[in-house]
Amino acid sequence: MPQPLVRVTRRLHFNAAHRLYRPDWTDERNAEVFGPCANPHWHGHNYEIEVTVEGTINPETGYVMDLGDLKDRVNESVIDQVDHRNLNVEVPWLEGLNPTTENFVVAIWTRLEPLLPSGVRLARLVLWETPRNYVEYEGELAPSSS
Amino acid sequence: MPQPLVRVTRRLHFNAAHRLYRPDWTDERNAEVFGPCANPHWHGHNYEIEVTVEGTINPETGYVMDLGDLKDRVNESVIDQVDHRNLNVEVPWLEGLNPTTENFVVAIWTRLEPLLPSGVRLARLVLWETPRNYVEYEGELAPSSS
Amino acid sequence: MPQPLVRVTRRLHFNAAHRLYRPDWTDERNAEVFGPCANPHWHGHNYEIEVTVEGTINPETGYVMDLGDLKDRVNESVIDQVDHRNLNVEVPWLEGLNPTTENFVVAIWTRLEPLLPSGVRLARLVLWETPRNYVEYEGELAPSSS
Amino acid sequence: MPQPLVRVTRRLHFNAAHRLYRPDWTDERNAEVFGPCANPHWHGHNYEIEVTVEGTINPETGYVMDLGDLKDRVNESVIDQVDHRNLNVEVPWLEGLNPTTENFVVAIWTRLEPLLPSGVRLARLVLWETPRNYVEYEGELAPSSS
Amino acid sequence: MPQPLVRVTRRLHFNAAHRLYRPDWTDERNAEVFGPCANPHWHGHNYEIEVTVEGTINPETGYVMDLGDLKDRVNESVIDQVDHRNLNVEVPWLEGLNPTTENFVVAIWTRLEPLLPSGVRLARLVLWETPRNYVEYEGELAPSSS
Amino acid sequence: MPQPLVRVTRRLHFNAAHRLYRPDWTDERNAEVFGPCANPHWHGHNYEIEVTVEGTINPETGYVMDLGDLKDRVNESVIDQVDHRNLNVEVPWLEGLNPTTENFVVAIWTRLEPLLPSGVRLARLVLWETPRNYVEYEGELAPSSS
């Protein structure tokens, strides 16, 4: 019998410093494109991230996935490495990336997706940079344009 | 002429006691799998539920559905039966279910869906158990694994 | 290589007066259908709107779209025209519409969609009328019923 | 034995239309002083009000005051008269007042204070006009300036 | 030189089951006074507590008090004993008390106050039972009525 | 006749980078006392600040103080100088201070207080560093201990 597909979400918090800039651009160009976000002395944010996994309900436990287990995996593979850190210089898996929220959310997806247990899939990440701005990624790829 | 498909959502609040456990398991096994949520003396939550219906806009009223009417239907069929209640022992339509948020949201869907007026469909339920955890259900079924 | 499709959202605030009614109905009929929302002396709301655009990440900037630019476009084409206004009598592009949240969100979509730069598409509008009620529109049309 | 003095608060919601202006000023003067808030076609808000009463804990019930009873009194004497209304023209006890949040909160205090049961006193009102602006009043009077 | 007196607050979360009733009253009397809160099968809440301490700023650290240290003390003496618990039957320091929010906040005050380090004083507790209801206690006692 | 004393509050947002440390301490000592907040590569926050002024209501306008005027003064003297900045190295009026939330709020008070117009006084600052931590200052000084 077909089973309901349910999504469960855990929301977590961290904070970090960053700046938006390209090392191959002049300071003027960086300031022009990224405005105050290019400040060479850094700025920072309290980030909120919502991690959503999807699957059927395990008939034995009533869980799609134990949210404590999900929290532990996200903490170990993501939060512990970015909380109270500088995203430009201290996070190996962001190296070479301009840490916009867009690049950041895709990098988190790439890290988290293979770490989920079998039977569930990573369905959505929502990353809030401020209470007014957020990005979402569901693993979707654009059709090639060529 | 094709008409816009719009979703309207009403958010409601209730609180309830529950515990997570299986009567056919030992206390030890329940504690191991469900942790403090298995506490035999119960614990409880303030739940928030978002009920979303989808349809075209009635050209006469400008409504997809009167949200006051939606609120009344959800109150009568769901909220009044779970608010200030014990989900394990006082709610006939949860009988035999371990009241995880996942099982709970699917049971609410099953109750609410047939009660909506013609012309709209139940599109999504979001059920918050704490400000950090929520589940979503859109009525989707998993393909049979055969 | 296929590129990730990411959604970025900017949340904005405004407030306005309105009433729900049809000029071709009697006051009694309006009161019966729209309740206190039909009050001829108006009432009002603090609205919150979330504007979501979708696209691939520009490899040069790391942005799907500059959210400052998005904010400016939404402010100019929508917020500046409805903030501290009366939706029934002061907004040309709502003329002839009963300003329900449903009609309002579709009218905003129609205005905003052509104003986005090439490379991104308007993916979703969420319009909150109160902290308990919101509508969503993603540009989807209902299949004709013929 | 001296008893603890505890404050209990109930938060309630309503929405209303208003404009800020003085009938004895020209439109120009009103626009200059009150900006877009003077719009003759009105605008409106979702208000949140927090009503706080203070007293000792009734040893029989464990309540300072039944919050359901408090809610009923606030609804009857305040909310029912302003919700979905125009503050300038439909509320007798605001007549002659420019409905700024400051004047509004003092008028609510004057109405509510005599309606509380003996044994508790009205301790504070907090009135939110937007998520960014609020006023507070605790019944305090300024020393006369002579 | 006189030093600024600053208040620092840490907000924490827990959830619990409870019911409001007096064992020396009949079920009818309990239901009449406490309404659905008297449900013999329990109900529950997500509580939020704000713990505020006041003191001068330590010139060496710039802290009034290390908020990590405050969090640890509150967790050990309060949260760990009430989280996922039944307030009526599992918490020795609430024994014999009807667990209204008022009685609960005073009991927490009594526990926490002696546990703070010298140099700071417990200045305020705010305990939210639902997003609409909260109580505050600042350690103040009512003048005896004699 | 004595006039009501009313408090009006404006809430504003900014973000910044900082680290907690003393230049006269070793890295080890800084890490021991300030934990991850001492990270030499910085971290950051989205701050929220609530600025409260108190006064009587101007009988001509119905305002204690025009909140737009208050916002402008706070933006010019505080927000514009800290938003998207590094609190340790880019803010002259924080120079030599360890930028804990406690030191920060007192420094903001010292700047803002003389800038208010006559007739109102700065009554309270609340500074949120994260959604779980905040500090408050009302200009009060501790009695000298000597």
Side-chain angles (χ1 to χ4, degrees), chain A residues 11-28:
Chain A
R11 192 170 173 130
L12 301 102
H13 179 88
F14 63 94
N15 61 69
H18 78 155
R19 64 175 292 214
L20 302 184
Y21 82 115
R22 294 178 57 103
D24 57 332
W25 284 359
T26 61
D27 285 358
E28 290 69 27

Side-chain angles (χ1 to χ4, degrees), chain A residues 35-141:
Chain A
C37 297
N39 181 356
H41 293 292
W42 320 99
H43 65 285
H45 298 287
N46 299 331
Y47 291 90
E48 296 273 339
I49 186 165
E50 299 184 18
V51 180
T52 302
V53 301
E54 183 182 80
T56 54
I57 303 176
N58 179 327
E60 202 172 42
T61 59
Y63 284 157
V64 164
M65 177 181 177
D66 183 327
L67 281 181
D69 178 16
L70 178 60
K71 184 175 80 163
D72 290 346
R73 292 173 196 240
V74 179
N75 274 334
E76 189 182 348
S77 66
V78 177
I79 307 293
D80 292 350
Q81 301 182 29
V82 295
D83 190 30
H84 283 81
R85 301 283 177 153
N86 184 311
L87 302 180
N88 296 75
V89 301
E90 294 189 289
V91 184
W93 43 276
L94 292 176
E95 214 173 279
L97 275 182
N98 191 9
T100 59
T101 329
E102 288 94 325
N103 279 334
F104 196 9
V105 79
V106 172
I108 295 171
W109 181 280
T110 305
R111 267 186 89 67
L112 269 184
E113 199 194 20
L115 300 180
L116 293 185
S118 74
V120 299
R121 68 174 192 89
L122 187 56
R124 185 180 60 221
L125 293 177
V126 181
L127 181 60
W128 295 76
E129 192 182 61
T130 78
R132 294 270 143 198
N133 294 342
Y134 64 85
V135 300
E136 284 166 278
Y137 185 49
E138 302 193 344
E140 207 184 340
L141 299 176

Side-chain angles (χ1 to χ4, degrees), chain B residues 1-13 48 50 52 54 56-57 59-67 124 126, chain C residues 20 22 25 29 33-34 37 98 100-103 105-106 128 130-144:
Chain B
M1 210 180 72
Q3 294 299 311
L5 259 181
V6 178
R7 292 176 164 210
V8 297
T9 297
R10 173 78 198 183
R11 193 172 172 128
L12 300 102
H13 179 86
E48 295 273 339
E50 299 183 19
T52 303
E54 184 182 81
T56 54
I57 303 176
E60 202 172 43
T61 59
Y63 285 157
V64 164
M65 178 182 175
D66 183 327
L67 281 181
R124 185 178 62 222
V126 181
Chain C
L20 302 185
R22 295 177 56 103
W25 284 0
R29 181 87 198 277
V33 172
F34 298 114
C37 298
N98 190 10
T100 59
T101 329
E102 290 93 326
N103 279 334
V105 80
V106 172
W128 294 76
T130 78
R132 295 269 141 197
N133 295 342
Y134 63 85
V135 301
E136 284 166 278
Y137 185 50
E138 302 192 345
E140 205 182 342
L141 298 177
S144 333

